[in-house]
Each structure stands twice: as C-alpha cells, then as structure tokens.
Amino acid sequence: MEVIQPVKRNVLLNPGPATTSDAVKYAQVVPDICPREQEFVDIMSGIRRDLVKVVHGDPDKYTSVIFTGSGTVVQDVLVNSLVPDGKKICIVNNGAYSARMVEIAEYYHIPNINLEFPSTQLPELNVVRNAIEADKDIAVVATVHHETGTGVLNPIKEIGRIAHDNDCVFVVDTISTYGLLPIDIEESNIDFLMSSAQKGLAGMTGASWTVGRIDEIKRSQAYPTRSYYCNLFMQYDFFERIGEMHFTPPVQTIYALRQALDEYFEEGELVRWERLQKCWQAIHKGLEGLGLASVIDRDIQSRLVVTVKAPDDERFDFFKLHDYCFERGFTIYPGKMFGLKTFRLCNLGLITEKDIDDFFVVAREAFEEMGFSLPIT
Ligand SMILES: *Cc1c(COP(=O)(O)O)cnc(C)c1O
C-alpha cells in the first residue's frame, strides 16, 4: 500500500476508534468503483472468509455477515433476528454494552430477561445457571466478552456452556476483543460473535459483522422479521446468492478493512496480543508513578482498558487533563461508571509500550499544571 505522505499520528487511548496505520488510511484512496463489479465482489468474499479465520472458525460451520454501520448495528441485528416467536432472550448484564442489548430488546418489544450484576464484578455463574434453567422460554443467551466501559473480561466459555446445556443459542459481543485477544469461536462455546472495523482490527468506521453458525442463520429465516435493514437472514442470503451486501456497502471502509486484515495476519495473533499486554502493563506502571490506581481488580481486567479512579481532589479537572494531552497527540476518555469519578485509558489500536511511556510524560506535566505534586498521595 502506497503512503503518499505520512499523516499526523495521534495516539488514541479512547475505547475506539483506534489508532490506525497510514497504509490503512491510504487504502481508502481508490479509483471510483461500483460495488456491484466483480472486483469488489471478490474483495468482499475474501474479507468474509478472513473474518471467520481470525476467530479460527470452521468455514463449514461458521460464516461472517457484514453490515454497514458502527458496532451497535450488529448488536441490533443479532438481538432482533435470533429470537423465535414467543421465546425470550436472556442478557447477562454487568455493564453499559450488555445494558445496550437489553435496550435493543425493549425497542423491538422482544421478551427479555435482564440478568443484572454489579459492573465492577464478574457475573455469578450459579445465578446465571439457575435463571436459565428456570425458564424454558429462553432461546437466546447474550452477553459481552469485554465490557469496554469498565475493562472487565467476562467468562464467556462458562456462560456459553450454561447456554448450550439448556439448548440456547449463545450470542457474545466481542467488539472490543476481536482482533486483539485470541479467540477460538467454537472452543469458547460461541454461536454468534460481533466485531466492528474501527476497533480491534484498527480499520475505519462503517463496517461491522457477526461471525456465526450457518445452521442457526438458516433456522432464523422462520423467526419474526422485526427490522428491514438489519435482518440477519436477509443479509446472509444476499451474500450467498449475489456475493454482495443487500444495500450499498461502505466501499472505501471495505478497502481499508482489507488492508487492516492483511496487517493483522502479518503481525500475527500472538505477537499482537503480546504487544497490547505490554501496553497495559506500561499503563499500570505509569499510573503507579502518578499515585493513581485502577477501579477494577487486576485479575478480572481484559488487559485492554484500564478504568482509573480520579483523584478525589478539587484540583483535578478531567477536561484540563484531556485538553493538555490532546494538544500533544494523546486522546483519553471519560469513565462510564455510575457515581464514581473515573477516566479510561484503552490500548486497543496500533500503539506500543513506548507510546504509553510518552503519554505518561505528558500526563505528569498535566497533573503538575493542575497543581499536584507527584506521586499523588
Ligand atoms: C464499541 C463497542 C460497541 C459498539 O459501539 P459503537 O459506538 O456503535 O461502535 C459495542 N460493544 C462493545 C463492547 C464496544 O466496545
């Protein structure tokens, strides 16, 4: 991929979109093309195969279905398409993104069970098992792999086993782990997972997909059609018959996704995961130097997001910290936890340990500007 001129590099420590390579940015600059042309159809089908490969899916059992939109579009698709008439979806909910799936079910008037747990903890598996065993109308169990709002990593394999023991389809939002943390779809008991181009693969916003079981997609043809644009079977069927999305795809985003996938396979799943874990360790080290701590226990952290407890001090101003860092090329993000002053540092994109170390040099200056002497006590 030809990079005409390097683009100013920003280190994004927000929870997506992520820092991308210049090659991904420039991959969008292509001759105008009608997406119905064979050249584009071939690119799409190669991408669909590779999206299954990222999670080690058996192509005879699993396929990928791509939609135009940000990550939430695929939450919408799976929640509205996979619940049979008269059946329920049970959402194992310990954070903002599982709560969003509850909200989607509500919007479609789909009977749902909102199995709520504290956002700082893992769901209690015996409670999950009892709830699912107690209600034979539950057909789908859904949860989030990594609650990006807090950084908690959920035990999906165990929840999936409970779902399967009760003949339920298991749906997992892996939007903030896919392409980052190694996932084996079948081994993790997942029937449908989700991802979005601007997150783990460090592509551009505008394309999101599920990787899921072909037999269950076919079965869903008989389920109520609750959305026109966001129906899983309709989109799958179009891909299979015509090789295309039903409606106009985000053409340039797809070219960038092709490049992002090439870079993913080139770096390698384990090398990438190593790089990201080093960033996470550097975040903890930097926080210690500042005298700050994370809210979530380290052993349940995804190693991709750290929720930082903000100093309980009137001199602390998140916006001052943000603006100081932003002007120097680093983007940080507010917290998403109710009733607690926090901010988040996320290491999802094409960044390195050195970027994190550089960030903390700047962050230290910002805290000193606010009048703190470091480390904060
Ligand atoms: C980012 C994200 C989403 C999707 O959010 P969008 O703003 O629609 O891209 C969904 N689930 C999780 C866990 C996420 O991190």
Side-chain angles (χ1 to χ4, degrees):
M1 191 53 54
E2 198 186 357
V3 173
I4 313 294
Q5 197 180 1
V7 181
K8 175 179 179 274
R9 184 162 178 275
N10 288 328
V11 173
L12 300 188
L13 303 174
N14 49 294
T19 296
T20 61
S21 70
D22 279 359
V24 164
K25 294 180 189 78
Y26 274 107
Q28 298 175 100
V29 185
V30 287
D32 292 326
I33 183 172
C34 169
R36 305 290 179 211
E37 291 300 327
Q38 192 59 41
E39 178 190 317
F40 196 79
V41 170
D42 291 345
I43 288 173
M44 269 294 204
S45 58
I47 287 177
R48 283 188 66 209
R49 273 195 300 278
D50 282 347
L51 294 177
V52 177
K53 207 157 105 186
V54 169
V55 288
H56 308 281
D58 173 353
D60 292 331
K61 282 193 203 162
Y62 295 91
T63 190
S64 66
V65 186
I66 311 172
F67 290 81
T68 299
S70 77
T72 306
V73 76
V74 73
Q75 282 197 338
D76 187 324
V77 167
L78 296 181
V79 171
N80 90 59
S81 302
L82 289 171
V83 186
D85 203 16
K87 296 287 184 182
K88 297 178 189 170
I89 181 169
C90 173
I91 295 142
V92 180
N93 172 4
N94 64 338
Y97 291 98
S98 32
R100 191 176 294 177
M101 287 197 275
V102 175
E103 219 176 317
I104 293 168
E106 287 290 314
Y107 264 61
Y108 286 108
H109 309 289
I110 297 168
N112 63 84
I113 293 170
N114 176 11
L115 212 54
E116 233 177 318
F117 297 93
S119 65
T120 51
Q121 290 164 31
L122 300 182
E124 280 179 64
L125 293 173
N126 60 326
V127 175
V128 174
R129 183 175 286 280
N130 290 340
I132 294 170
E133 280 176 357
D135 191 339
K136 293 299 160 208
D137 285 338
I138 297 170
V140 177
V141 175
T143 196
V144 174
H145 190 195
H146 167 210
E147 272 291 354
T148 326
T150 53
V152 170
L153 189 74
N154 281 328
I156 49 168
K157 188 175 175 177
E158 289 74 12
I159 299 171
R161 185 169 310 124
I162 296 169
H164 288 170
D165 286 347
N166 291 279
D167 298 322
C168 294
V169 167
F170 186 44
V171 172
V172 188
D173 173 346
T174 54
I175 291 175
S176 60
T177 46
Y178 180 106
L180 298 165
L181 181 162
I183 297 172
D184 183 310
I185 187 167
E186 193 160 8
E187 215 240 351
S188 303
N189 296 320
I190 301 172
D191 298 312
F192 291 89
L193 57 70
M194 313 176 194
S195 178
S196 195
Q198 81 283 5
K199 293 259 172 124
L201 289 180
M204 292 294 153
T205 309
S208 299
W209 56 90
T210 181
V211 179
R213 290 245 316 255
I214 297 166
D215 57 350
E216 291 295 342
I217 296 174
K218 288 181 176 164
R219 206 164 286 155
S220 76
Q221 188 181 6
Y223 302 166
T225 47
R226 301 178 176 97
S227 168
Y228 181 70
Y229 200 80
C230 293
N231 181 266
L232 178 61
F233 180 79
M234 197 208 250
Q235 186 84 325
Y236 164 79
D237 188 49
F238 229 78
F239 266 124
E240 289 302 304
R241 286 188 295 114
I242 324 278
E244 282 281 353
M245 277 194 191
H246 197 173
F247 305 107
T248 308
V251 177
Q252 288 73 19
T253 295
I254 294 293
Y255 280 99
L257 178 56
R258 179 64 271 165
Q259 174 66 23
L261 274 164
D262 291 344
E263 291 179 14
Y264 173 82
F265 290 118
E266 204 174 297
E267 181 175 22
E269 169 180 63
L270 295 175
V271 173
R272 175 168 291 198
W273 181 222
E274 271 305 307
R275 170 171 62 76
L276 295 169
Q277 290 184 93
K278 283 198 183 121
C279 291
W280 177 77
Q281 278 151 0
I283 289 173
H284 279 289
K285 199 176 104 219
L287 288 173
E288 259 165 51
L290 286 169
L292 296 177
S294 65
V295 177
I296 305 296
D297 281 349
R298 252 194 222 217
D299 53 354
I300 62 167
Q301 285 179 27
S302 60
R303 306 185 166 212
L304 295 164
V305 169
V306 177
T307 298
V308 185
K309 195 161 175 296
D312 190 14
D313 185 306
E314 62 187 19
R315 285 171 298 180
F316 179 76
D317 181 339
F318 173 78
F319 297 102
K320 274 191 194 156
L321 175 63
H322 169 276
D323 293 354
Y324 191 92
C325 297
F326 184 79
E327 281 160 22
R328 288 154 185 82
F330 300 94
T331 304
I332 64 170
Y333 208 69
K336 212 173 192 170
M337 289 184 63
F338 188 68
L340 196 60
K341 258 183 28 183
T342 61
F343 62 93
R344 276 181 286 172
L345 301 175
C346 314
N347 48 299
L348 306 178
L350 223 70
I351 59 171
T352 62
E353 195 179 355
K354 169 148 192 326
D355 292 323
I356 303 293
D357 293 343
D358 293 346
F359 160 73
F360 276 102
V361 172
V362 170
R364 291 182 73 88
E365 289 169 9
F367 274 98
E368 282 163 354
E369 286 269 310
M370 285 188 270
F372 286 98
S373 49
L374 300 176
I376 301 161
T377 45

